[in-house]
Amino acid sequence: FLYHLVLLLTNNYLLSNLTAIVLAVNPWHLQFSRGAWESSTALFFIILGIYYFYKFIATPKSIYRYLFLLPFIASLYIYHSARLISPLIVFVLFLLNFKLLISSSKKLIFPCLLAFILTIPVFISFLNSGGTTRLGGVGLMADRGPLSRSEELLNHHNNVKLINRGMHNRRVLYALSWLEKYTSHFNLNFLFIDGDQVPRSKNPEMGQLYLIELPFLLLGIYILLKYQSSKALKYLVISLLFISPLASSLTFQAPSALRALPMVIPLSILIALGLNHVLSIKNFTIKLLIYLSFFLSVFYYLDSYYNHAPSRYSFAWNRGFSEIIPFIELQKDNYDHIYLTDKYDQPYILYLFYSRYNPFEIQNQIELTPPDQFGFSTVEKIDNITFKIPDEIPSGSLVIDASDFQLSGESFKIYTK
């Protein structure tokens, strides 16, 4: 659909093919599409919605006036970030094509009314608990750093004056924190060198994009701003580039490759613009070097993905639970107490899954812990299994602790007392 979108806006087959190829081998895109993350599914519907919108612009009397809003609505139900990004994209699309849409306003009354009705459940969920709980857990305000910094700076003054409160106001510090998180998504270190700090969102020794793509990205920006004849493509790429990091920037975990995944679309188009320009030069040596560089980059990525990531980041993918939990089930009746480390996420979920625990039994005994500072609760105990390691371990206990996986190659170490 990205291929068809670029082709629709530019009528340039080479550019459309290059854009599709760049996206198809993009490490950032592959990381989440191969893992079937919700963000990737939401991104599909966003692209589909944009494509249908421009099909409607091209043929206002067509059925696309009903279709283009439906994919955007679908994205709202799929992933949290889309609830901010999709409405903003729709708003920008309407703004950029305001005159044409006004002339077709009568044709849009029923589709817009239908779209409004379909989004009501999302807004109800967001206002009741779905959105507020999520924001409380990962939102920018969940980061206590700016608040602590504000209190620290105010304590440096002997007297609390109005000007001091203005200079060191926590709202100002939170605004600066947001600006830093937003701009961090355009950091070349994030894009091309180290990538996301969350191991599940990246590969070892790589950024979110190939380093070889950097010169083509810079060239693509120049071409887009100076030579691109398609105003629709120009404004779309610029809009997507600046809208995509917004949801991620409102969380304390930024830059986030997961929440800012829609950035791969404008970045792929920009890289393709740069490639398209260079490949139009009739020089066999230059073309050969480009093809060879991309081949080696993709080969390096595949080596990192299949060989190094499983070893380096095994803990991030909960390696070992499928083996250790059947072992725990066999030993369950032989010990008074079993302690399983809580270093790896919330292990009770994985225990329930791999042990095929009866849902009716767990519902009768489950007890959630009080919410932590981010609003999350967990389960510390099921039967005689406790999902943390206490300071004092009683006799007759089986302990499954975290291992130094990088040295031992294993996630757990087992001992008894």
Side-chain angles (χ1 to χ4, degrees):
F1 277 103
L2 182 60
Y3 164 83
H4 284 292
L5 174 61
V6 176
L7 183 61
L8 179 65
L9 297 181
T10 64
N11 199 32
N12 186 326
Y13 284 92
L14 178 58
L15 177 61
S16 304
N17 275 295
L18 287 171
T19 304
I21 292 170
V22 169
L23 181 68
V25 298
N26 185 298
W28 192 348
H29 178 243
L30 285 169
Q31 187 72 14
F32 299 111
S33 60
R34 292 202 76 248
W37 297 68
E38 313 96 295
S39 59
S40 183
T41 310
L43 179 58
F44 164 77
F45 283 107
I46 290 172
I47 298 171
L48 185 62
I50 297 171
Y51 172 69
Y52 281 161
F53 174 82
Y54 280 107
K55 287 291 286 185
F56 165 67
I57 292 297
T59 53
K61 294 182 180 180
S62 66
I63 194 174
Y64 292 110
R65 68 177 182 271
Y66 295 97
L67 292 180
F68 80 85
L69 285 171
L70 296 180
F72 287 113
I73 294 168
S75 71
L76 303 180
Y77 283 88
I78 292 169
Y79 192 59
H80 290 282
S81 296
R83 297 180 180 181
L84 174 63
I85 293 172
S86 291
L88 286 174
I89 292 174
V90 172
F91 174 75
V92 169
L93 291 175
F94 273 64
L95 196 64
L96 294 176
N97 300 272
F98 182 74
K99 291 182 178 179
L100 193 148
L101 291 173
I102 285 294
S103 64
S104 305
S105 58
K106 291 183 179 180
K107 298 183 181 69
L108 291 173
I109 292 175
F110 181 75
C112 289
L113 180 61
L114 178 63
F116 174 75
I117 293 171
L118 292 175
T119 55
I120 288 176
V122 178
F123 286 114
I124 293 175
S125 172
F126 183 84
L127 294 174
N128 285 346
S129 62
T132 54
T133 300
R134 187 65 175 171
L135 282 174
V138 300
L140 187 64
M141 301 303 290
D143 182 7
R144 306 291 294 178
L147 179 60
S148 301
R149 180 62 176 160
S150 173
E151 293 172 351
E152 177 188 359
L153 292 171
L154 286 172
N155 289 334
H156 289 170
H157 296 272
N158 295 326
N159 52 3
V160 181
K161 295 181 179 179
L162 183 62
I163 189 171
N164 296 333
R165 286 206 168 274
M167 290 173 60
H168 307 312
N169 190 289
R170 65 179 183 273
R171 296 169 186 82
V172 174
L173 294 178
Y174 272 113
L176 293 174
S177 175
W178 169 82
L179 183 62
E180 179 185 359
K181 294 177 189 303
Y182 178 80
T183 56
S184 67
H185 293 86
F186 303 97
N187 189 304
L188 296 183
N189 187 59
F190 166 71
L191 291 175
F192 296 101
I193 307 299
D194 289 333
D196 200 317
Q197 295 306 304
V198 178
R200 276 184 292 192
S201 299
K202 58 169 287 186
N203 287 291
E205 317 301 335
M206 285 190 68
Q208 300 303 133
L209 306 174
Y210 299 116
L211 186 58
I212 186 61
E213 293 177 323
L214 176 56
F216 299 106
L217 174 63
L218 298 175
L219 179 60
I221 294 172
Y222 176 75
I223 292 171
L224 181 80
L225 297 177
K226 193 168 182 67
Y227 295 110
Q228 180 51 234
S229 58
S230 172
K231 290 185 178 181
L233 183 71
K234 179 185 295 187
Y235 295 140
L236 177 64
V237 168
I238 293 172
S239 300
L240 287 176
L241 193 61
F242 288 104
I243 288 174
S244 297
L246 280 173
S248 176
S249 68
L250 294 174
T251 69
F252 68 88
Q253 297 170 317
S256 169
L258 174 63
R259 298 187 182 97
L261 181 60
M263 282 184 70
V264 300
I265 301 306
L267 290 173
S268 295
I269 296 173
L270 288 170
I271 292 167
L273 279 169
L275 276 170
N276 182 63
H277 180 77
V278 176
L279 292 176
S280 65
I281 300 173
K282 296 180 179 180
N283 186 308
F284 177 77
T285 304
I286 292 176
K287 291 181 179 181
L288 182 63
L289 286 173
I290 292 173
Y291 295 145
L292 183 61
S293 298
F294 267 91
F295 175 80
L296 291 175
S297 296
V298 174
F299 184 82
Y300 182 86
Y301 160 74
L302 293 174
D303 176 63
S304 177
Y305 187 89
Y306 285 106
N307 294 321
H308 300 292
S311 176
R312 288 273 298 275
Y313 299 149
S314 61
F315 68 96
W317 295 96
N318 298 316
R319 176 184 174 185
F321 278 96
S322 60
E323 293 83 15
I324 200 68
I325 288 173
F327 169 78
I328 292 174
E329 287 296 281
L330 291 174
Q331 303 294 326
K332 195 172 180 180
D333 297 329
N334 300 332
Y335 295 91
D336 297 328
H337 306 281
I338 297 178
Y339 298 99
L340 175 60
T341 178
D342 60 352
K343 180 178 180 179
Y344 307 120
D345 293 330
Q346 299 190 33
Y348 84 93
I349 300 173
L350 296 161
Y351 170 74
L352 293 173
F353 177 77
Y354 286 114
S355 67
R356 300 184 179 182
Y357 205 96
N358 189 320
F360 294 104
E361 292 183 17
I362 189 61
Q363 289 165 8
N364 291 329
Q365 67 167 301
I366 194 168
E367 291 185 11
L368 290 172
T369 60
D372 60 16
Q373 59 176 326
F374 302 119
F376 294 114
S377 297
T378 186
V379 173
E380 286 189 350
K381 190 171 184 180
I382 296 174
D383 297 333
N384 63 334
I385 304 172
T386 302
F387 300 100
K388 66 177 182 179
I389 310 296
D391 294 331
E392 296 184 7
I393 300 171
S395 299
S397 298
L398 174 67
V399 182
I400 298 95
D401 206 347
S403 176
D404 189 336
F405 63 91
Q406 288 188 348
L407 297 178
S408 65
E410 301 293 338
S411 299
F412 302 103
K413 57 182 178 182
I414 304 169
Y415 58 91
T416 59
K417 182 175 181 181

